[in-house]
């Protein structure tokens, strides 16, 4: 009986944690929208800071001349418009890109193990015209490939997504589907590495991340990963209850653009076919 009580107590605690995450996500989403409004109001200030940052960065890295103002603005936003911090971040990214992508892209032959599992798909756009990406956590196999291949797969996916951005768009919406996820799929090193790439090298590209079909055992991994998520990214994460899945997604995505596995009308397409 003691074991049963302890198990029940653990499940109740995990359920409360899940609810807390969901409530935090809703509050954070509102804060993010308010922050975006403030940034838009200060467009003139941002333009001035872009010019200053460009001049500062070009002194250390002439390749900054090839960087457009939108990228500089994204790095500024990622560092709360602090020119010095944003400049350091941008220069670090450019150095990383030259080392990690000497050819300018990741070839599919380099990530064949990752592509074979169809764990990253893309289809449709949300109501603001932002591309929709679906990642299946339960299809990830940590024993298949290695961490470097996972990193290349993440970069491959992000490059594909950015290339598919409609004109005038800079962000994408992601759905992290954890149906079937278990401890055998858990890969903390890969999660942390993926977060680092997204936050440090592709800042302000993620608009929202809906985490769906969340098993309670995932909260164990979530506790470990959470401290590595920066404050701006945390505000974009929304945990979705199964019973509210379709209605929540339909708030942001029209049914004609929603993936069919969530009750929409578009079949998912593997990322390599996009």
């Amino acid at each position: 009986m003691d074991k049963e009580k302890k198990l029940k107590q653990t499940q109740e605690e995990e359920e409360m944690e899940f609810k807390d995450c969901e409530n935090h996500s809703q509050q954070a989403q509102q804060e993010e929208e308010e922050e975006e409004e403030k940034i838009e109001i200060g467009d003139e200030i941002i333009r001035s800071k872009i010019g200053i940052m460009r001049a500062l960065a070009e002194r250390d890295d002439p390749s900054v001349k090839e960087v457009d103002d939108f990228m500089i603005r994204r790095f500024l936003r990622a560092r709360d418009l602090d020119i010095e911090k944003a400049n350091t971040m941008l220069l670090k990214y450019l150095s990383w890109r030259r080392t990690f992508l000497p050819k300018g892209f990741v070839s599919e032959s380099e990530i064949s193990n990752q592509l074979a599992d169809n764990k990253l798909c893309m289809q449709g756009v949300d109501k603001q015209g932002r591309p929709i990406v679906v990642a299946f956590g339960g299809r990830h196999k940590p024993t298949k490939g290695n961490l470097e291949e996972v990193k290349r797969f993440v970069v491959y996916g992000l490059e594909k997504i950015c290339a598919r951005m409609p004109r005038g768009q800079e962000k994408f919406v992601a759905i992290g589907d954890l149906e079937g996820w278990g401890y055998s799929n858990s890969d903390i090193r890969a999660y942390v590495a993926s977060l680092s790439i997204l936050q440090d090298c592709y800042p302000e590209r993620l608009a929202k991340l809906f985490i769906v079909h969340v098993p309670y055992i995932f909260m164990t991994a979530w506790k470990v990963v959470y401290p590595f998520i920066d404050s701006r990214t945390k505000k974009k994460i929304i945990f979705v209850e199964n019973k509210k899945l379709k209605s929540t997604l339909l708030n942001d995505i029209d049914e004609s653009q929603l993936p069919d596995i969530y009750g929409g009308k578009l079949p998912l397409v593997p990322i390599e076919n996009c």
Side-chain angles (χ1 to χ4, degrees):
M1 288 295 291
D2 289 340
K3 289 184 179 179
E4 289 180 2
K5 287 181 180 179
K6 188 173 182 181
L7 178 61
K8 185 177 180 181
Q9 182 180 0
T10 301
Q11 290 175 335
E12 288 175 350
E13 288 174 353
E14 288 178 338
E15 187 170 355
M16 288 178 66
E17 288 174 356
F18 182 85
K19 292 287 186 183
D20 288 342
C21 284
E22 184 184 21
N23 293 335
H24 172 74
S25 298
Q26 292 171 346
Q27 180 182 356
Q29 182 180 354
Q30 185 177 353
E31 291 175 356
E32 178 74 7
E33 290 170 355
E34 291 173 356
E35 187 175 351
E36 288 291 338
E37 287 179 8
K38 290 178 184 177
I39 289 177
E40 291 304 322
I41 292 171
D43 269 350
E44 189 174 332
I45 296 174
I46 292 178
R47 282 195 292 271
S48 174
K49 291 198 172 194
I50 288 172
I52 296 171
M53 181 171 154
R54 180 179 291 281
L56 187 65
E58 284 184 7
R59 290 189 306 184
D60 293 311
D61 190 337
S63 71
V64 174
K65 292 178 181 178
E66 301 171 14
V67 173
D68 61 30
D69 286 353
F70 295 108
M71 178 178 285
I72 293 178
R73 184 177 65 178
R74 288 195 296 273
F75 277 84
L76 275 167
R77 284 178 168 175
R79 289 298 176 263
D80 298 318
L81 306 186
D82 184 307
I83 294 175
E84 186 175 344
K85 290 180 179 178
N87 183 57
T88 299
M89 185 184 187
L90 175 62
L91 292 174
K92 186 177 179 180
Y93 158 73
L94 292 173
S95 176
W96 166 85
R97 190 173 181 89
R98 281 191 291 269
T99 303
F100 197 85
L101 295 172
K103 297 181 291 185
F105 63 92
V106 175
S107 65
E108 293 179 3
S109 61
E110 297 177 83
I111 53 172
S112 56
N113 288 316
Q114 309 303 315
L115 292 174
D117 295 321
N118 285 334
K119 57 188 173 185
L120 187 61
C121 300
M122 184 159 60
Q123 181 66 285
V125 295
D126 76 348
K127 292 178 180 178
Q128 295 186 43
R130 301 175 296 203
I132 300 165
V133 183
V134 182
F136 295 96
R139 297 180 185 178
H140 177 65
K141 300 177 178 63
T143 57
K144 201 171 178 181
N146 53 51
L147 184 59
E148 281 305 307
E149 186 176 348
V150 172
K151 289 180 183 178
R152 293 191 179 281
F153 175 68
V154 171
V155 172
Y156 170 87
L158 287 167
E159 289 287 310
K160 275 271 192 176
I161 295 164
C162 292
R164 286 289 302 274
M165 293 277 183
R167 186 175 180 82
Q169 284 296 340
E170 298 181 71
K171 298 186 178 184
F172 67 93
V173 171
I175 300 173
D177 194 323
L178 298 177
E179 186 166 21
W181 188 95
Y183 288 128
S184 63
N185 305 112
S186 183
D187 194 348
I188 301 299
R189 290 196 311 156
Y191 300 157
V192 172
S194 300
L195 275 168
S196 177
I197 291 170
L198 175 66
Q199 295 174 164
D200 299 337
C201 303
Y202 297 84
E204 294 302 293
R205 284 297 198 180
L206 176 67
K208 288 183 180 181
L209 167 59
F210 296 98
I211 303 183
V212 306
H213 295 142
V214 186
Y216 288 125
I217 57 172
F218 174 74
M219 301 313 295
T220 303
W222 179 251
K223 289 177 184 176
V224 179
V225 174
Y226 191 77
F228 294 94
I229 307 174
D230 67 33
S231 59
R232 294 185 68 85
T233 304
K234 284 174 182 175
K235 293 176 181 179
K236 300 171 183 178
I237 300 172
I238 302 165
F239 281 82
V240 184
E241 285 187 86
N242 289 344
K243 62 184 179 181
K244 297 180 181 178
L245 177 54
K246 186 176 180 180
S247 61
T248 299
L249 294 178
L250 285 176
N251 286 332
D252 287 78
I253 305 167
D254 190 83
E255 189 173 12
S256 66
Q257 297 294 304
L258 187 67
D260 55 6
I261 61 172
Y262 305 119
K265 298 181 178 179
L266 289 181
L268 282 174
V269 179
I271 191 72
E272 64 269 27
N273 296 332
C274 295

